[in-house]
Amino acid sequence: MKVKKKSGFWGVIRNTIWAIISLILIWIITHQVMTAYEQDKHPALGQLVEIDGKHMHVYTKGEGKNTIVLLSGLGTAAPVLDFEPLLNEMSKNHKVVVVEPFGYGWSDRTDRERTVENIVEEIRLALKKANINGPYILMPHSISGIYTMYYVNKYTKEVKAVIGIDPTLPKALDYFGESAPTMSKFLSLISPAGISRLALYISPDKFLPITDKETYSDKNVKMIKMISAWNGYNKNIVAEANETKRNVDKTRDMSFPEKLPVMIFTTKEEKTTENGKSNITFYQSQLKHLTHKRLVVLEGHHYLHWTRYQEMSGFVNQFIDTFER
């Protein structure tokens, strides 16, 4: 009798393990099938251009004398959709372009290292292959400030101005005594298993813009969720995060060219460090040597374009007018 009880106990354990493994395999297969179906049903909104044998997505809206290139922050799964309110406003007066890097939006993933050199070259090639000619007004959000700094120093003649949305600049880590962000490589290994899709079911709001409900259409929100399920924690995003320190080291001694017009949007902070440092004082230090500059402080989230897109578009028009005269 004791042998039978022991055998029965281990039988339950064995069956439970197999049941869990079976559920995981079913979930992985379901995720892969759903992703393939969704990608087929919802093709890229813009143009796909070939870079190093892979496709990058370039979306363009509006016409005008100036071409504004929006560059997204780290981990923004669907840049075109995330920027949509600001893009719609600015495209009333300008040609506005969103380049989705590898691993983002409708772009493929790549095996190339996520170095600042590779990312900038890919952006440049994507613009050229999409027949979008410079000089450009680069408009980076967050981590793209690093790539923009490299771009304007290496290809100065291709950039007309820079308008940053709370951009990460190379000297920020030293200024605040902070370390670069990192992500566990394990995330990229389990990404194909549908971890992001599962997270979406559990906490969908964490993947969506924090703003008034009417700002983004139901269709847009649905697509953001869908693309977040495709792209969350993929190998390119994880590699980009883990390359940040090296990318900062390569650009730490760079600054904006003296005659380049630069405007930066940042958030109003209630707190500063013990020695009085804040994002406002930091940006002031980065702009002080420029002949044509502006710092605009707005109430809001790090993703200012979620809520202040109308004001931002107005400031963009005003700033462009000042150096177009």
Side-chain angles (χ1 to χ4, degrees):
M1 293 295 292
K2 290 182 179 179
V3 173
K4 288 183 179 180
K5 286 183 179 180
K6 188 175 182 180
S7 176
F9 171 77
W10 288 111
V12 170
I13 296 296
R14 183 186 64 244
N15 292 338
T16 301
I17 291 172
W18 278 113
I20 292 172
I21 293 173
S22 297
L23 286 172
I24 292 172
L25 289 175
I26 290 170
W27 173 255
I28 293 173
I29 293 169
T30 300
H31 166 66
Q32 294 296 333
V33 170
M34 288 181 68
T35 298
Y37 171 77
E38 291 164 353
Q39 290 176 338
D40 182 66
K41 188 177 179 181
H42 301 280
L45 299 177
Q47 182 179 359
L48 292 174
V49 296
E50 187 175 327
I51 307 293
D52 194 36
K54 301 287 186 178
H55 289 104
M56 279 183 69
H57 182 222
V58 181
Y59 180 80
T60 307
K61 186 172 183 178
E63 297 292 337
K65 180 180 177 182
N66 293 289
T67 299
I68 300 174
V69 180
L70 285 162
L71 301 171
S72 60
L74 177 66
T76 303
V80 169
L81 300 173
D82 185 81
F83 279 130
E84 187 178 70
L86 179 61
L87 189 156
N88 287 342
E89 285 293 322
M90 295 196 303
S91 64
K92 295 174 182 177
N93 299 287
H94 312 285
K95 184 175 186 176
V96 186
V97 182
V98 180
V99 178
E100 295 189 322
F102 286 127
Y104 291 83
W106 278 274
S107 293
D108 290 338
R109 293 168 196 172
T110 182
D111 293 327
R112 298 184 77 198
E113 293 181 343
R114 297 295 79 205
T115 64
V116 64
E117 297 94 337
N118 285 346
I119 290 172
V120 169
E121 285 304 321
E122 290 158 7
I123 291 169
R124 290 182 69 240
L125 281 173
L127 289 167
K128 293 181 185 304
K129 290 199 171 187
N131 295 316
I132 299 169
N133 300 314
Y136 313 107
I137 296 175
L138 298 182
M139 196 165 183
H141 172 238
S142 198
I143 197 69
S144 288
I146 301 294
Y147 315 138
T148 295
M149 184 64 77
Y150 181 86
Y151 199 128
V152 300
N153 277 270
K154 186 164 186 181
Y155 306 104
T156 306
K157 293 182 179 180
E158 295 182 14
V159 184
K160 191 174 191 176
V162 169
I163 301 175
I165 306 172
D166 217 18
T168 302
L169 298 179
K171 293 182 175 63
L173 295 183
D174 289 342
Y175 187 84
F176 292 106
E178 296 176 348
S179 57
T182 59
M183 287 188 188
S184 171
K185 292 183 179 180
F186 179 68
L187 290 172
S188 64
L189 296 176
I190 63 175
S191 175
I195 181 176
S196 293
R197 192 180 295 276
L198 184 61
L200 271 163
Y201 285 130
I202 297 171
S203 302
D205 291 344
K206 290 185 178 180
F207 293 80
L208 299 174
I210 304 170
T211 186
D212 295 333
K213 187 176 180 181
E214 63 273 13
T215 302
Y216 290 83
S217 67
D218 290 341
K219 181 179 179 181
N220 180 295
V221 169
K222 181 180 178 181
M223 283 302 307
I224 288 177
K225 289 181 179 179
M226 208 174 291
I227 296 178
S228 295
W230 306 348
N231 290 334
Y233 307 114
N234 72 69
K235 66 179 184 179
N236 289 159
I237 291 175
V238 172
E240 182 184 4
N242 293 331
E243 193 67 28
T244 300
K245 185 181 185 305
R246 284 182 286 272
N247 287 337
V248 166
D249 289 342
K250 293 173 185 175
T251 55
R252 180 176 274 109
D253 294 331
M254 295 180 180
S255 59
F256 292 120
E258 182 181 354
K259 295 182 179 180
L260 181 73
V262 178
M263 179 169 72
I264 292 177
F265 292 104
T266 191
T267 57
K268 182 179 180 181
E269 290 189 348
E270 298 299 328
K271 295 181 180 180
T272 59
T273 62
E274 292 182 358
N275 53 9
K277 291 181 178 180
S278 69
N279 57 336
I280 295 172
T281 62
F282 170 67
Y283 288 130
Q284 288 173 337
S285 72
Q286 299 303 292
L287 297 175
K288 64 182 180 181
H289 68 288
L290 301 178
T291 56
H292 201 101
K293 67 214 173 193
R294 185 169 186 181
L295 179 62
V296 179
V297 182
L298 298 173
E299 298 273 2
H301 189 273
H302 174 56
Y303 282 70
L304 281 166
H305 53 276
W306 286 352
T307 54
R308 311 311 290 264
Y309 54 93
Q310 291 177 320
E311 290 170 82
M312 290 171 68
S313 181
F315 280 116
V316 167
N317 292 339
Q318 293 172 16
F319 186 65
I320 291 175
D321 285 345
T322 63
F323 63 78
E324 284 291 330
R325 292 172 184 170

